[in-house]
Amino acid sequence: VKFQLTILGCGSAAPTTRFNPSAQVLNINENLFLIDCGEGTQMQMRKFKIHFQKIDHIFISHLHGDHFFGLMGYLSTQHLLGRTRELNLYAPAAIEQIIHVQLKASETYLRYPLKIIALTSKESEIILDNKIVTVNTIPLKHRIYCNGFLFKEKPRARNIIKQKIKDFNIPIYKINAIKNGEDFTLENGTVIYNSELTKAPSPARSYAYCSDTAYFEKIIKIIENVNLLYHESTFIDSDKTRAKETMHSTAFQAAEIAKKANANKLLLGHFSARYHEFQIFLDEAKAVFENTELCSDGACFEVE
Ligand SMILES: [Zn+2]
């Protein structure tokens, strides 16, 4: 089952020819989740062949333009393409007015229900819980109200061993119950225990998105043991004063968080346009946390 992250943009502030501003798509078994929607996100989706009709949930971390200026265009395109299915938008509360004023001015009446889930809490909360995933907010430390998002795959049912179906003549209608942990009783009354009939599913996977934020240890507890962590690293260590002033992080600080949270893998992104070489981000992070990679637009990361 797929659990794959595609980076659509990993630059900060204004778009450049090198990087689009922040946007990512998480694909969990062909259910797509859009995370932030910087300017140009629609075009990146076309370029990297993201099937955007499959997106039913959009998560916006905060209302700095480089994280949401692509949203209105995206919502409008969904309307033009004839979407009728509900779209869920999780974002800081002011998004409601921002969208409303633009729709009103253009006298647009969306063909699909847009359900806005206004985020206001400063504590971590569950904002989505369905058959596929649980999503928690990760309150971050930034110049304005900002949340990261933790995606946790739902634990899957046990895998039934095919040979056992034949061996014990298990009827089809019993299979779901067995996958969910039930034992099977033969006609002669012998109980075959579930552990003999099934194998444990692979463990549920998780992804944490943390942008934008100053170095903030409070998030460690929320993201503990995450499989894949994206943590912003707008700056390198020699610009850490600038990082502090603007409430962003350095590559070294991102790696410190990854290490303290016992993450499996770290992705760096949200790079400032002041840099032209990126190896130094990797070197600084790897000195603290070895399993680190740099994002680039179009890059895909799979969690096995
Ligand atoms: Zn920001």
Side-chain angles (χ1 to χ4, degrees):
V1 179
K2 200 181 252 185
F3 193 99
Q4 184 188 58
L5 181 73
T6 303
I7 308 299
L8 300 176
C10 62
S12 69
T16 61
T17 51
R18 181 168 185 130
F19 295 128
N20 257 70
S22 293
Q24 310 185 342
V25 171
L26 181 66
N27 180 333
I28 305 178
N29 197 17
E30 296 311 318
N31 300 281
L32 305 192
F33 302 89
L34 176 61
I35 309 161
D36 278 341
C37 191
E39 192 178 336
T41 295
Q42 296 188 60
M43 294 302 286
Q44 294 292 80
M45 285 185 184
R46 290 194 186 277
K47 193 169 161 190
F48 302 122
K49 308 217 169 0
I50 302 294
H51 199 318
F52 44 90
Q53 297 290 14
K54 287 186 185 167
I55 297 172
D56 290 335
H57 301 275
I58 301 176
F59 301 84
I60 301 293
S61 61
H62 67 304
L63 297 177
H64 279 152
D66 57 337
H67 293 257
F68 87 102
F69 279 171
L71 182 65
M72 205 57 222
Y74 179 82
L75 297 178
S76 169
T77 298
Q78 288 293 301
H79 171 73
L80 295 173
L81 292 176
R83 182 188 181 101
T84 52
R85 215 168 58 247
E86 183 177 78
L87 185 60
N88 298 281
L89 173 63
Y90 308 80
I95 200 78
E96 197 144 15
Q97 283 170 276
I98 294 169
I99 291 171
H100 179 71
V101 76
Q102 296 191 72
L103 291 176
K104 197 176 163 208
S106 62
E107 296 181 19
T108 301
Y109 302 93
L110 294 178
R111 289 193 184 93
Y112 59 91
L114 176 65
K115 190 175 158 199
I116 297 177
I117 298 90
L119 304 180
T120 53
S121 176
K122 288 186 174 133
E123 301 297 328
S124 177
E125 56 179 348
I126 294 174
I127 52 172
L128 173 62
D129 189 12
N130 63 17
K131 277 190 286 188
I132 302 144
V133 73
T134 307
V135 183
N136 280 73
T137 55
I138 308 167
L140 299 172
K141 188 180 176 185
H142 195 41
R143 304 195 302 279
I144 57 172
Y145 178 64
C146 184
N147 290 296
F149 303 102
L150 173 66
F151 296 80
K152 278 189 277 188
E153 186 181 35
K154 276 285 160 74
R156 269 167 286 150
R158 298 180 66 83
N159 296 310
I160 194 155
I161 303 163
K162 287 209 178 89
Q163 187 58 42
K164 303 286 179 185
I165 300 174
K166 282 188 205 155
D167 293 353
F168 298 114
N169 230 335
I170 300 172
I172 289 170
Y173 75 91
K174 282 281 183 191
I175 286 179
N176 259 339
I178 292 171
K179 281 183 173 176
N180 287 320
E182 267 185 32
D183 301 329
F184 179 64
T185 309
L186 301 178
E187 272 172 29
N188 68 13
T190 312
V191 175
I192 311 295
Y193 291 110
N194 191 275
S195 55
E196 194 186 327
L197 302 171
T198 62
K199 279 188 288 192
S202 40
R205 294 159 291 183
S206 56
Y207 170 59
Y209 173 82
C210 298
S211 186
D212 296 0
T213 188
Y215 180 76
F216 192 39
E217 290 197 341
K218 265 195 179 160
I219 69 177
I220 292 167
K221 211 169 68 205
I222 303 168
I223 63 172
E224 213 163 26
N225 301 323
V226 73
N227 294 116
L228 183 64
L229 167 64
Y230 170 92
H231 193 291
E232 73 127 288
S233 60
T234 310
F235 297 103
I236 54 175
D237 198 51
S238 56
D239 291 321
K240 64 170 181 268
T241 317
R242 182 84 188 122
K244 201 170 182 186
E245 280 164 13
T246 56
M247 297 180 97
H248 284 298
S249 298
T250 64
F252 174 83
Q253 290 169 338
E256 283 279 307
I257 295 289
K259 187 172 126 188
K260 288 178 179 168
N262 192 34
N264 183 48
K265 188 191 183 94
L266 170 65
L267 301 177
L268 299 178
H270 201 262
F271 305 119
S272 163
R274 67 169 60 197
Y275 307 108
H276 300 283
E277 288 296 327
F278 296 88
Q279 183 62 37
I280 187 160
F281 284 84
L282 200 56
D283 294 344
E284 287 185 359
K286 279 193 167 196
V288 179
F289 187 82
E290 173 55 32
N291 195 10
T292 303
E293 280 192 57
L294 297 179
C295 287
S296 61
D297 291 6
C300 268
F301 301 93
E302 192 88 43
V303 181
E304 302 297 340

